[in-house]
Amino acid sequence: MKKILLSLMLLVVSGYAVKTFGQSGCSNPGSCDVVLTGVEIGVTQKNCNFGGNPNKMEIVFDLKFKLKANGGNKWIFIHSYLQSDYPTVQAPPSVSGFFPCSGGAQDPPTAVNGGNLPTSYGQALKSFLNIGLNNNGATTILASNGYIPDASVVLNSPTGPAANSPGMTVTKTNLPVQAVDSFSLKNIRVIINAPCFIQPANVIPTPIIVKTDVWSTNASSVGKAQCWLGGITNGFNDPLINANKPCSSPRTYTLNISTTNLTPTTLTYAGYIDVNEDGAVNVGDIQILGGTFPGFVAGNPYFTPAPTTYPPYSNTPGIAEKPLLFIATTPLIFNSISTPKIYTQAGCIALPVGFKSFTAVRNHSNVVVKWETSTEINNSGFAVERNINGVWEQIAFVPSQATNGTSAGALNYQFIDLNNTKGITQYRIRQVDIDGKSKNSDIRAVRGEGQSGGVIIYPNPTNDGKVNIVFEDANITRDVAVMDMSGRTVKQMRNVTNNNITIENLTPGMYTVRIVAPATGDQIVQKIVVNKR
C-alpha cells in the first residue's frame, strides 16, 4: 500500500471533506471484488541510518483503508514495493507488474515466481511491506512465517519465530451503510532501503513513489489469488505536512504543506480536532479546516502566514486542548497523507501531568534539563529525548516521584546531559503513563558548546528559505518580525513563548529579523540572507 517519508494511515468517514479514493491500477474482481478506498498513511516513528547504513531506514506507521465488504475476502494480502523494485513479469497490454488485467484465478506472488517477495526482514530489492490477514470472523494478522503460498516469505507481524512488528494490531469495523469493512492497523514496522527523508537543509527530499498490490481469496482455495488490485500508486512523503499548535490563548495552529513535484496539481487539505485522541478522523471529530489549493507545485506551498484560530473551539473548555490532525492529498497519488496528532505545546497542555516549567540550559559541556510538574495522574515517568542532526534519541528515563504515579503537589526533576556538540541540540520530555500511553512536551533548544549569543539564527545564509531561531532564555515572551530590504513585514509572530521557532518560505534576498520582549522593551536585530535555490 500512518513522513522516503512514510506515513501509512487511517480511513475516511462520512463527512470527510478530503477526497475518498477509489479503484486504480489493474484489477480482477472475481467473486470477492477487491474495491479499495480511503487509504491513508501516517508515520509515528522513524530511525535513520538503520544499522549504520545511510541508505536504510526503519519506519513505524499506522495504516487504515476500506475494502468492499464481501464474504469472499477471507484471506487478504498486501504487498508494497518501492517503484524501482516493482515486479515486471507481466507484458503489455496487461501491466508492468505481477498481476494481469484479466483472467481467472492464478498463482499468487512468491519469492521465486517473479513476485519479488522477501525471505528476510528488510531484504533489498524486494517488497518492503507484506501483510497477511486471516479475515475469517475476527480478523487476525498472520505470523511472519505464515504466508501460505510460500512459507519462505517473511510477513510483517507481531508474532512467530521472526516477529518484526512488536505491538502491531488490526481491527475491523463493518460500515453497513457504505457496504465496506474498515481496517485499522497500528505499529507496522518496515525497513526501507533508501536514504532517510530527513535531509540537510539545502537538499530537497526525493519523492518516494510506491506500488502496492492487494489480493484476496476464499479460505477453501487460499493457494490461488481469486481477486486482486495491482499497481496502486502510493505517495509516502509528498505532500509534506508541517503543523504546530503554539502555546497561546485562544488556541491557534500553523500549517505548511509543500511538494517536491514539478507537475502543477490541486492540493486538497483538511484539519480536524481529534476529540477522542485516537489519531484518526472519526464520527464526532470536529472539522476546522478544509479546501483546495490549485496550482500546487514545488516552490508554491500552501501555508498559514500567521498562527490561525479556529473559533469557537479555540477557547472552548475541554475542546481547545484536544490534538489536531491535518490531512492532504493530490490527484497524483492514490492515498492521503496525515500528520501525527498535533498537541498544544507543553506548559498549557491538558495532560495527565501538568507541566509548570521546562528548561534546557547549557553549562559548559553539560546541558541541565529541568522540569516541574504541578499535578501528576497515573504517571510512570519521563523519557528525556535529545535531537542532534535531525534524529531523536532517548538518553534517560526519570521515574515519577509521585506515590503510585499520582500527586496534587509540585514536584521538581532534573537531568544533566554530558553534551559537548558544537551545534544546536533540541530536547523534549516524553511523559509516559502507567498504562504505556505517552505524550511529548514542547521542544527546547540549546546552543552548541562554545557558541555565543542570546539569540542564534541558523542556517545563515540559508539555501531553502527556512531558518531556525533559538532563544537562550526560555522564560520570556517575545514578538518576532521579519522584514525585507524595503522595510515591508513579510512574517510576524506575536507572544512567542517557546525558546525555538522556525520561519519558512522566505524568497531569496536579505532580511532583518527584529525580536522584541514587550515586558522589558529589550530588542535584538539580526540580518539573514536567503540564497537562490
Side-chain angles (χ1 to χ4, degrees):
M1 288 257 150
K2 337 72 178 185
K3 264 166 198 117
I4 275 160
L5 182 61
L6 255 172
S7 234
L8 279 167
M9 278 198 231
L10 44 102
L11 149 68
V12 182
V13 297
S14 61
Y16 178 35
V18 178
K19 175 182 177 183
T20 299
F21 299 91
Q23 201 90 349
S24 76
C26 191
S27 66
N28 175 51
S31 61
C32 34
D33 199 7
V34 175
V35 180
L36 193 67
T37 58
V39 179
E40 190 170 329
I41 297 170
V43 169
T44 59
Q45 179 183 336
K46 57 181 175 286
N47 301 312
C48 302
N49 302 319
F50 186 73
N53 187 339
N55 294 314
K56 190 184 290 282
M57 76 179 85
E58 186 178 50
I59 301 292
V60 181
F61 61 93
D62 298 337
L63 165 66
K64 281 194 175 182
F65 61 92
K66 293 177 181 176
L67 192 64
K68 182 176 180 180
N70 192 299
N73 293 316
K74 291 186 172 62
W75 300 81
I76 303 168
F77 296 92
I78 303 168
H79 310 291
S80 290
Y81 311 74
L82 294 179
Q83 189 174 40
S84 58
D85 299 334
Y86 191 62
T88 57
V89 298
Q90 298 293 340
S94 297
V95 286
S96 179
F98 183 85
F99 288 105
C101 284
S102 61
Q106 72 167 46
D107 291 335
T110 67
V112 296
N113 68 352
N116 279 18
L117 301 188
T119 56
S120 61
Y121 178 55
Q123 187 176 2
L125 307 178
K126 305 293 182 181
S127 54
F128 65 85
L129 171 67
N130 297 276
I131 295 175
L133 301 176
N134 181 345
N135 199 33
N136 290 279
T139 302
T140 58
I141 302 169
L142 297 182
S144 53
N145 62 343
Y147 188 62
I148 300 171
D150 182 352
S152 70
V153 169
V154 172
L155 299 177
N156 298 93
S157 78
T159 59
N164 48 48
S165 291
M168 179 179 172
T169 61
V170 60
T171 57
K172 180 180 75 171
T173 303
N174 180 254
L175 305 176
V177 175
Q178 302 178 39
V180 299
D181 289 324
S182 166
F183 293 87
S184 174
L185 290 92
K186 292 185 176 295
N187 298 315
I188 305 170
R189 187 179 298 267
V190 298
I191 292 178
I192 306 293
N193 289 280
C196 207
F197 51 83
I198 295 179
Q199 301 284 349
N202 60 341
V203 177
I204 298 176
T206 301
I208 301 305
I209 304 301
V210 171
K211 292 288 189 178
T212 295
D213 291 346
V214 180
W215 66 273
S216 65
T217 186
N218 289 311
S220 59
S221 56
V222 74
K224 291 288 185 179
Q226 294 177 310
C227 311
W228 57 81
L229 179 59
I232 305 168
T233 300
N234 297 122
F236 283 75
N237 65 333
D238 211 322
L240 303 170
I241 310 175
N242 290 297
N244 187 31
K245 192 179 177 189
C247 183
S248 57
S249 184
R251 296 292 177 252
T252 63
Y253 65 84
T254 59
L255 178 63
N256 184 295
I257 308 175
S258 60
T259 181
T260 59
N261 204 298
L262 299 177
T263 302
T265 185
T266 297
L267 169 72
T268 304
Y269 58 87
Y272 297 86
I273 301 173
D274 187 11
V275 175
N276 65 355
E277 303 187 43
D278 67 344
V281 178
N282 296 300
V283 174
D285 289 341
I286 301 170
Q287 185 170 355
I288 60 170
L289 176 71
T292 59
F293 182 68
F296 186 58
V297 69
N300 186 33
Y302 170 87
F303 66 97
T304 56
T308 303
T309 59
Y310 43 101
Y313 307 106
S314 293
N315 51 12
T316 301
I319 296 295
E321 303 301 342
K322 295 292 185 179
L324 304 180
L325 292 170
F326 295 96
I327 303 173
T329 190
T330 72
L332 303 178
I333 61 172
F334 181 77
N335 59 284
S336 60
I337 301 294
S338 71
T339 61
K341 293 177 287 187
I342 308 299
Y343 279 97
T344 311
Q345 296 173 358
C348 55
I349 195 170
L351 291 174
V353 168
F355 281 93
K356 291 185 65 176
S357 64
F358 167 38
T359 61
V361 178
R362 176 168 291 283
N363 181 11
H364 302 294
S365 61
N366 292 324
V367 174
V368 181
V369 182
K370 294 182 178 180
W371 63 102
E372 182 180 3
T373 63
S374 57
T375 58
E376 297 185 27
I377 302 174
N378 296 324
N379 180 37
S380 173
F382 307 88
V384 182
E385 297 182 335
R386 180 180 65 190
N387 181 352
I388 301 176
N389 298 325
V391 180
W392 284 102
E393 61 175 339
Q394 180 176 322
I395 56 175
F397 186 85
V398 179
S400 170
Q401 299 176 17
T403 303
N404 297 321
T406 299
S407 170
L411 295 172
N412 292 281
Y413 298 86
Q414 176 176 299
F415 175 77
I416 299 177
D417 180 32
L418 176 61
N419 179 346
N420 56 9
T421 184
K422 303 302 180 183
I424 299 294
T425 302
Q426 294 179 318
Y427 290 87
R428 69 186 180 194
I429 305 296
R430 181 164 54 86
Q431 180 267 319
V432 182
D433 293 349
I434 290 176
D435 62 5
K437 295 180 180 179
S438 64
K439 294 178 182 178
N440 289 330
S441 74
D442 192 7
I443 294 173
R444 298 293 187 233
V446 299
R447 56 184 171 79
E449 185 177 18
Q451 282 185 310
S452 60
V455 175
I456 297 173
I457 301 179
Y458 72 98
N460 187 15
T462 174
N463 296 318
D464 64 352
K466 179 170 69 175
V467 295
N468 302 288
I469 304 178
V470 176
F471 308 109
E472 183 71 12
D473 190 338
N475 297 313
I476 296 177
T477 299
R478 301 172 176 86
D479 294 338
V480 180
V482 181
M483 292 156 288
D484 62 17
M485 292 300 295
S486 67
R488 181 174 63 94
T489 300
V490 296
K491 302 281 184 181
Q492 191 167 29
M493 302 177 69
R494 296 189 181 277
N495 299 319
V496 175
T497 56
N498 199 2
N499 89 316
N500 60 114
I501 59 174
T502 299
I503 297 175
E504 301 180 285
N505 304 310
L506 295 174
T507 57
M510 182 176 291
Y511 297 86
T512 299
V513 179
R514 178 174 286 114
I515 302 163
V516 178
T520 62
D522 291 343
Q523 178 174 283
I524 297 175
V525 177
Q526 289 196 22
K527 301 288 186 181
I528 59 174
V529 176
V530 179
N531 291 331
K532 293 183 178 179
R533 304 181 189 181

